[in-house]
Amino acid sequence: MFENLTSKLQRAFKNLRGQGALTEENIQEPMREIRMALLEADVNVKVVKQLLDQIQTKTLGQQVAGSLSPGEQVVKIMHDELIEILGRDTARIKFASQPPTVVLMAGLQGSGKTTTSGKLANWFKNGGHRPLLVSVDVYRPAARQQLKVVADAVKARIYEGHADEANTATVERLVKEARREAINTGCDVLIVDTAGRLHIDDQLMDEMQSLKSILNPQEILFVANAMTGQDAVRSADDFHKKLALTGIILTKMDGDARGGAALSIRNVTGQPIKFIGVGEKYDALEPFHPDRIVSRILGMGDLATLIEKAGRNVDQKKAQELATKALSGDGFSLGDFREQLRQVRKMGSLKSLIGMLPSVGPFAGMQKHADSIDEKQINRVEAIIGSMTEYERDHHEVINGSRRKRIARGSGTSVQEVNNLLRQYAQMRKMFKQMGKPSFARRMAGMKMPGM
Amino acid sequence: MFRSLFGGSDKPDEQEKKPGFFERMKQAVTRTRESLSEKIEAAVAFTKEIDRETLDTLEATLLSADLGNTTTQEVLKSLREKADRKQIQDGNELKRLLKEQMYAILTRNRNPPATRVEGGPEVILVVGVNGTGKTTTIGKLAHMLRADGKSVLLCAADTFRAAAIEQLEIWGQRSDAEVIKTKQGGDPAAVLYDALQTAQSRKMDYVIVDTAGRLHTKTNLMAELDKMRRTAQRIIPSAPHEVLLVMDATTGQNGLQQARQFTDSSGVTGIVLTKLDGTAKGGVVVAIARELGLPVRYVGVGEKIGDLLPFDARAFVDSLFE
């Protein structure tokens, strides 16, 4: 897969140590590496060119600072530049002074408008609002039923109305009725889910414009798929020109797409990315954090998300206890080991966790092995430890040949697997003991995380 | 059989039945072609000799078509060498060479569809990430097969997405194909089982299976696809005969990863490239063909029931560069 950008730059800059400053000549190769990384992340070609020019200007003449290697320095400049472009603050929703606040959803087919409408309704509800949903997608089969199911799932109100004919007149009637309904029922937010349309479909784009003039919405949100490639610029630009978008929602961010489209769309529309969709559940809508997606585009992992995930799913007290026990050396029993495995698993599959680690520093090379991880292996380890007696878990040294045989039978594994586990456990104890020593802490502190 | 859908060669009346195929294909990619040819023309218009700058312009053009950096560099590498040795005479020659290379990549290692067991239904499993147009494609495919006089059974195994079953039912009515379904939240493998049994006992020609959209990174959901394959094999050992990965033409380089993962878990045999009526070029299929040898079987060019066309690599490449 992709080699990490920082390590590539590291190499490109290998011969640069000892040279005082970054010059046009000596940054040519690093610039090529950056270009490739951005292109692989689906950032639009033209946007890439623009970015490179900006970064080059900022980089040239800079002294090679003592604490950072030149490679790290260029990555840092670019990191900061990208965050600058994406906007530092998580954007907010604008509310109408006179309710209802109208949110108009726009986008291509299959970008996730209906699901996102449901998630938004849920988000508004959690914020103490009373959203009303309406679908004016009279074109796609069962699209309106879909929003109805979604609305029921998030327990939000929906205006269903009747759509006997699939034409713009019906669409216009539906939104007018829905707004009246919102006022009559005291709903302060109206979310209008629209049919997916191509930006070059003049007829349907005209319909969008007419919806805009009828509703005078506070927000026109462009829903875009994070996996979109080079065309993101074209469609976002056309939508923006015709509708004057007020924000962007990037969906399907729970996949492994690098999301370069975010940069392209932001660049071409100038509008903030307000939310990202990160799953199929209705609470899987998160405010957008530019720093995280920048790390992702540059292949530097998503540590912040990982840490947040850990915070949400891991029992902090237990984790603290385990850490203290482990680092003090002898106290870390097989039972603790099992507990630790369980805590890690709460955060999701190991593969996805490793994917969030940066591929540099202490974690270098781990990504490569992510594919070969056998999640079932953990089940087997749990089964083996589960087949031990309480006493054996606390005193691993008593586990002799006949005990091993029993444990293997009890857990449905083999003696060999039990042996392996015990060997690994012994190694781990040794490692933890070392980590507990002050010398280790000093060594860790000496390693810096490049570009973060 | 299935092969007959891919070209007119073994069906003399193909041209009469679908007279506008080539034209529509061209029309569908006209926007792509125009922009691409314009740029190439512009690049070679005033220079008889192909210089580096020309090739750089060409590089940007291929990159904007979502071919990806690796594929673009591969395609350009030999052109660069030839240009350096001044072996390329002019723009026409450049175009011809490019066309040749793209065509070679798209037709490399073409998986032939599995040959169907006589008497049993041919099972087509349709997979892909969310929102690429699986259900719509199935509706169109059913229509295409029905128009060819085949009996088709649709299997609504997307029991996850809200109203997916209803959506397939509407396509079933439009294409005159019966739908086997369960309630939302039901077991997809169970519906598949029912559908295959029904199709077998009624001696139907085709079963097209709609699956829930899933991101290729969701291990559990990918394992579910594997389970569906195994379920199908219990009833019809040679099934599924075709596994179509539906991909949206706007997809960027992530398409490669999608193709890899779906191939791993469900044994993809071909790609359906949808939404080609927009401005997106779908060039990632060239990258996929280059790396995985997966052929494109069909292209989706609109929302109407007839807007699914068999893919023809020559026509595709020709349309791009004419």
Side-chain angles (χ1 to χ4, degrees):
Chain A
M1 281 295 299
F2 311 106
E3 196 189 346
N4 176 264
L5 179 61
T6 312
S7 48
K8 272 186 189 165
L9 289 182
Q10 223 73 290
R11 223 185 26 220
F13 272 113
K14 206 167 47 196
N15 305 319
L16 205 62
R17 285 198 189 276
Q19 296 185 27
L22 300 171
T23 67
E24 197 158 337
E25 254 162 46
N26 63 26
I27 64 166
Q28 278 317 306
E29 194 178 339
M31 283 297 158
R32 251 199 307 280
E33 298 288 358
I34 293 174
R35 176 168 186 266
M36 231 148 76
L38 293 174
L39 286 173
E40 290 294 352
D42 287 325
V43 181
N44 183 271
V45 182
K46 287 184 195 128
V47 179
V48 170
K49 196 174 171 334
Q50 242 177 51
L51 272 173
L52 288 181
D53 289 347
Q54 282 166 21
I55 292 162
Q56 182 147 353
T57 319
K58 291 212 171 179
T59 314
L60 284 182
Q62 285 227 6
Q63 293 300 308
V64 179
S67 59
L68 293 176
S69 74
E72 290 164 351
Q73 203 173 342
V74 174
V75 171
K76 190 174 180 320
I77 291 171
M78 183 163 63
H79 192 263
D80 295 349
E81 185 74 25
L82 295 189
I83 288 180
E84 197 60 45
I85 292 171
L86 286 169
R88 286 197 174 274
D89 298 319
T90 300
R92 300 224 168 87
I93 291 282
K94 200 167 94 203
F95 285 95
S97 50
Q98 179 88 32
T101 297
V102 178
V103 180
L104 186 60
M105 310 292 276
L108 302 172
Q109 291 96 334
S111 54
K113 284 176 297 303
T114 305
T115 306
T116 307
S117 298
K119 290 177 178 177
L120 262 184
N122 191 51
W123 185 83
F124 278 117
K125 270 185 63 196
N126 290 340
H129 295 279
R130 271 170 63 88
L132 178 72
L133 285 161
V134 62
S135 167
V136 295
D137 184 355
V138 296
Y139 306 103
R140 179 165 65 86
R144 283 166 43 79
Q145 277 111 301
Q146 186 183 347
L147 189 71
K148 166 78 177 132
V149 177
V150 170
D152 288 348
V154 299
K155 299 196 176 62
R157 296 184 67 101
I158 181 165
Y159 176 73
E160 292 185 78
H162 297 281
D164 306 321
E165 281 174 74
N167 54 33
T168 299
T170 310
V171 168
E172 291 173 352
R173 176 176 54 77
L174 277 171
V175 290
K176 286 178 190 158
E177 289 170 2
R179 189 171 49 189
R180 207 172 310 134
E181 173 90 358
I183 295 168
N184 290 344
T185 56
C187 291
D188 61 344
V189 179
L190 175 64
I191 301 170
V192 183
D193 182 22
T194 64
R197 60 201 74 211
L198 284 170
H199 47 291
I200 48 169
D201 185 333
D202 290 334
Q203 200 186 332
L204 283 181
M205 289 306 278
D206 287 349
E207 178 187 292
M208 232 25 220
Q209 278 176 322
S210 130
L211 280 183
K212 186 187 171 183
S213 63
I214 293 171
L215 288 166
N216 199 11
Q218 279 63 45
E219 294 280 359
I220 304 175
L221 301 177
F222 183 63
V223 182
N225 175 348
M227 296 180 284
T228 313
Q230 298 287 325
D231 195 51
V233 164
R234 198 76 198 252
S235 52
D237 192 29
D238 281 2
F239 266 91
H240 187 53
K241 277 190 186 130
K242 293 198 174 109
L243 296 170
L245 305 169
T246 64
I248 290 133
I249 298 181
L250 211 57
T251 60
K252 305 177 200 175
M253 280 291 287
D254 47 331
D256 56 359
R258 293 231 167 157
L263 261 182
S264 307
I265 296 174
R266 165 80 204 209
N267 195 66
V268 73
T269 64
Q271 296 308 306
I273 297 162
K274 302 209 167 181
F275 293 98
I276 55 172
V278 292
E280 301 206 28
K281 298 206 185 88
Y282 295 114
D283 59 356
L285 185 74
E286 294 178 355
F288 174 71
H289 296 288
D291 45 336
R292 297 186 194 173
I293 200 170
V294 167
S295 300
R296 184 160 162 167
I297 290 172
L298 298 180
M300 300 198 295
D302 191 354
L303 270 185
T305 300
L306 180 63
I307 290 164
E308 226 170 60
K309 233 179 174 174
R312 232 183 300 150
N313 296 323
V314 172
D315 185 334
Q316 290 297 333
K317 227 177 104 202
K318 259 190 198 157
Q320 192 62 46
E321 271 172 31
L322 280 176
T324 321
K325 246 181 159 179
L327 293 182
S328 70
D330 295 329
F332 190 70
S333 72
L334 278 159
D336 295 333
F337 180 41
R338 183 173 60 168
E339 186 53 42
Q340 196 186 31
L341 281 180
R342 285 180 180 160
Q343 295 277 352
V344 170
R345 287 194 106 182
K346 275 197 211 161
M347 294 195 280
S349 79
L350 279 182
K351 236 186 242 178
S352 72
L353 291 179
I354 289 179
M356 281 183 233
L357 293 173
S359 43
V360 287
F363 311 109
M366 277 179 81
Q367 265 79 357
K368 268 204 298 280
H369 303 295
D371 281 337
S372 58
I373 287 180
D374 183 3
E375 307 270 346
K376 281 187 197 134
Q377 183 65 34
I378 303 173
N379 287 342
R380 283 198 282 275
V381 169
E382 271 205 66
I384 292 173
I385 300 178
S387 296
M388 295 172 184
T389 65
E390 200 69 49
Y391 186 81
E392 283 167 345
R393 275 179 222 142
D394 288 337
H395 304 86
H396 67 103
E397 62 282 353
V398 304
I399 306 178
N400 57 19
S402 75
R403 283 178 193 258
R404 283 173 201 216
K405 241 186 241 165
R406 192 205 77 236
I407 292 167
R409 263 206 316 277
S411 57
T413 57
S414 64
V415 175
Q416 204 176 6
E417 278 174 279
V418 178
N419 286 341
N420 273 338
L421 169 68
L422 288 170
R423 201 178 312 126
Q424 279 165 11
Y425 167 69
Q427 275 170 6
M428 211 150 111
R429 274 172 66 99
K430 214 168 121 196
M431 202 175 78
F432 281 147
K433 252 190 208 167
Q434 286 227 315
M435 278 163 73
K437 288 182 187 151
S439 65
F440 185 82
R442 265 204 308 280
R443 278 217 312 279
M444 281 301 278
M447 293 170 80
K448 48 183 188 291
M449 299 282 267
M452 299 290 291
Chain B
M1 264 172 263
F2 218 70
R3 273 199 59 79
S4 63
L5 294 167
F6 301 121
S9 54
D10 51 351
K11 229 180 200 300
D13 61 341
E14 183 79 17
Q15 285 303 13
E16 266 125 54
K17 276 181 76 180
K18 289 169 188 149
F21 159 60
F22 193 77
E23 282 313 307
R24 291 177 63 201
M25 180 89 178
K26 269 168 68 175
Q27 205 184 339
V29 287
T30 292
R31 275 175 288 275
T32 311
R33 191 188 72 220
E34 274 172 1
S35 60
L36 203 55
S37 319
E38 270 167 27
K39 284 182 200 161
I40 296 173
E41 293 300 353
V44 297
F46 302 109
T47 48
K48 266 273 173 202
E49 246 170 51
I50 314 297
D51 54 20
R52 286 234 152 224
E53 201 180 323
T54 310
L55 285 166
D56 284 348
T57 315
L58 206 51
E59 180 189 50
T61 311
L62 294 179
L63 287 172
S64 7
D66 282 320
L67 258 78
N69 196 45
T70 317
T71 309
T72 299
Q73 298 314 332
E74 187 192 81
V75 169
L76 286 182
K77 201 177 148 205
S78 64
L79 288 187
R80 261 189 233 280
E81 281 162 9
K82 282 194 175 129
D84 278 352
R85 282 184 264 126
K86 304 219 187 293
Q87 282 175 345
I88 297 176
Q89 298 301 316
D90 55 19
N92 286 333
E93 170 121 21
L94 185 67
K95 250 196 261 178
R96 192 181 58 77
L97 287 170
L98 252 180
K99 262 203 246 181
E100 248 171 43
Q101 289 205 40
M102 306 266 273
Y103 179 76
I105 292 172
L106 279 169
T107 51
R108 193 190 289 171
N109 308 324
R110 240 184 118 90
N111 285 7
T115 39
R116 186 178 146 205
V117 186
E118 277 308 314
E122 177 162 327
V123 180
I124 305 172
L125 190 64
V126 181
V127 300
V129 299
N130 318 59
T132 52
K134 282 178 294 301
T135 311
T136 307
T137 299
I138 289 169
K140 294 172 182 172
L141 188 57
H143 172 76
M144 185 186 266
L145 293 169
R146 292 289 293 135
D148 212 21
K150 308 290 184 200
S151 54
V152 178
L153 188 68
L154 302 182
C155 170
D158 179 356
T159 57
F160 181 81
R161 180 169 63 85
I165 299 169
E166 288 84 343
Q167 189 182 349
L168 189 69
E169 280 187 298
I170 294 171
W171 279 112
Q173 286 159 18
R174 288 183 185 173
S175 58
D176 185 28
E178 199 187 324
V179 179
I180 298 283
K181 59 175 178 175
T182 177
K183 59 180 188 311
Q184 203 196 332
D187 178 7
V191 199
L192 176 60
Y193 195 92
D194 285 353
L196 293 188
Q197 277 198 323
T198 308
Q200 211 169 29
S201 66
R202 290 197 211 155
K203 302 209 181 318
M204 305 198 67
D205 299 317
Y206 289 92
V207 180
I208 311 179
V209 187
D210 190 15
T211 64
R214 63 201 75 213
L215 289 181
H216 49 288
T217 49
K218 308 271 153 116
T219 323
N220 294 345
L221 292 176
M222 294 307 275
E224 183 187 276
L225 281 183
D226 192 39
K227 181 182 167 192
M228 289 178 71
R229 269 177 72 85
R230 278 180 279 124
T231 305
Q233 278 158 4
R234 278 219 303 279
I235 303 173
I236 302 167
S238 56
H241 306 89
E242 177 99 270
V243 179
L244 294 176
L245 173 65
V246 179
M247 193 173 286
D248 185 326
T250 61
T251 311
Q253 293 314 296
N254 193 245
L256 256 176
Q257 197 57 11
Q258 288 174 28
R260 280 191 205 111
Q261 301 288 342
F262 275 99
T263 303
D264 274 359
S265 63
S266 57
V268 175
T269 58
I271 290 173
V272 181
L273 191 62
T274 59
K275 307 182 198 175
L276 210 56
D277 47 334
T279 49
K281 294 151 171 127
V284 73
V285 298
V286 181
I288 293 171
R290 176 184 160 273
E291 188 174 322
L292 300 167
L294 278 179
V296 183
R297 295 262 198 256
Y298 300 98
V299 293
V301 294
E303 295 191 326
K304 287 192 284 296
I305 199 160
D307 290 337
L308 184 74
L309 306 172
F311 179 79
D312 179 322
R314 185 72 75 186
F316 184 69
V317 175
D318 279 354
S319 316
L320 286 177
F321 290 98
E322 249 167 27

